[in-house]
Amino acid sequence: MKEITVNFNPNLKPWLAPEPNNVAGKGVIEQPGQTENFIWQTRKAEPTQYENDFGDALETVFDAGALELDEVVEGLNRIGFRTPEGTPWNAGRLAAEFHRLAE
């Protein structure tokens, strides 16, 4: 079977300009409860265990107050979460990992 690549979600409804209204759901792109939410609509594949663990580690570091890249690097190293190669993080390696995961 031939794989089809789509660079957008063809099932999204067209954007509607918001109009002031106090009724819930009015003036939004999608009406609550009326649009199917595709779980993997923005991913190439299901996250790996490493990607899930990386997300959990980032949450821990951000919860501890990290805001800057160097603080995130320090936090990941402090909690013992290593690169996929098993080495400590540095700013360049973390930036490269973010770029890789954002593709």
Side-chain angles (χ1 to χ4, degrees), residues 2 6 8-12 18 24 27-28 30 42 45-46 50 53-54 58 64 68 75-78 90 93 98 100:
K2 183 177 179 182
V6 179
F8 61 94
N9 183 344
N11 298 307
L12 277 179
V28 296
E30 304 292 348
T42 60
E46 186 173 352
Y50 161 77
D53 293 344
F54 185 45
L58 287 172
E68 301 296 328
L76 290 171
N77 290 329
R78 184 179 62 251
N90 61 49
R93 181 63 182 90
F98 285 147
R100 183 187 74 78

Side-chain angles (χ1 to χ4, degrees), residues 4-6 8 13 15 19 25 27-28 34 44 46 53 55 59 61 64 66-67 69-70 86 93 98 102:
I4 299 174
T5 302
V6 179
F8 61 94
K13 295 180 184 177
W15 182 79
E19 297 176 12
V28 296
Q34 295 182 8
K44 293 179 182 177
E46 186 173 352
D53 293 344
E59 284 182 16
V61 170
L67 299 174
L69 186 64
D70 289 336
R93 181 63 182 90
F98 285 147

Side-chain angles (χ1 to χ4, degrees), residues 73-91:
V73 167
E74 181 183 327
L76 290 171
N77 290 329
R78 184 179 62 251
I79 65 173
F81 188 81
R82 300 293 184 225
T83 67
E85 300 81 31
T87 60
W89 292 96
N90 61 49

Side-chain angles (χ1 to χ4, degrees), residues 9 38-45 101-103:
N9 183 344
F38 298 98
I39 296 172
W40 308 115
Q41 67 187 20
T42 60
R43 296 186 178 142
K44 293 179 182 177
L101 293 171
E103 291 179 342

